[in-house]
Amino acid sequence: MTAAVTLALVTACGATDPLDGQGTVQSAAHGATPDIARITAVIEEAGFTCEVKERHPDRFVEVVDCRSNQDKSRKLIASEWKDPEARDEMYQDDIPGMCGTLGFKDQVRWATSGNWALVAGGGTEKDVAALAQAADALGFESHAVPCQ
């Protein structure tokens, strides 16, 4: 999957929360959304190098593009959407019909919190595992929709 296609799929929004010293957001259990610095730190802790990018300013507030330090083909992308309803519609309705084109095997997987979305750059087991690890650490809600 190309970076442009992947970035077109991503989202998110945030609030600030202190760290608890264990690498987790203290108030994640209370439904608070981490900010871009916390999201980036968690993804980098999982072995990625992240860069804030300006992409589709009409759709996104911020986009964080992250590549694995060991396998440059592995990616995680976090994005803050201006319209979370548009994000949800895209992932639930539009993307499942494009799975083959986008490199997803059986499901489209993403995680959300507030206006933020976190998506893997592909459908490999390593991409999905990295997404699950980051989503869990951030307290994001995971989603999956079968490919059509």
Side-chain angles (χ1 to χ4, degrees), residues 39-140:
I39 291 168
T40 302
V42 165
I43 295 171
E44 287 181 342
E45 191 173 290
F48 289 75
T49 299
C50 299
E51 184 178 351
V52 176
K53 304 267 186 163
E54 185 175 327
R55 297 278 199 277
H56 303 286
D58 56 317
R59 254 186 258 170
F60 305 117
V61 176
E62 301 177 281
V63 174
V64 180
D65 187 5
C66 305
R67 292 202 178 265
S68 169
N69 295 331
Q70 295 182 356
D71 179 354
K72 296 300 180 190
S73 66
R74 288 183 46 220
K75 286 183 75 166
L76 285 176
I77 302 167
S79 37
E80 182 177 4
W81 285 69
K82 290 183 176 182
D83 180 359
E85 289 180 20
R87 172 202 65 208
D88 295 343
E89 180 181 314
M90 182 180 68
Y91 285 110
Q92 293 170 358
D93 300 333
D94 299 340
I95 300 304
M98 301 182 340
C99 283
T101 305
L102 299 173
F104 295 112
K105 292 180 182 179
D106 58 345
Q107 294 183 333
V108 176
R109 294 174 181 91
W110 72 102
T112 60
S113 182
N115 292 348
W116 281 100
L118 181 62
V119 66
T124 70
E125 290 179 28
K126 289 181 180 180
D127 290 326
V128 171
L131 173 63
Q133 178 184 355
D136 185 53
L138 290 164
F140 277 32

Side-chain angles (χ1 to χ4, degrees), residues 17-31:
D17 290 313
L19 302 180
D20 67 3
Q22 298 297 314
T24 59
V25 176
Q26 289 178 348
S27 59
H30 305 314

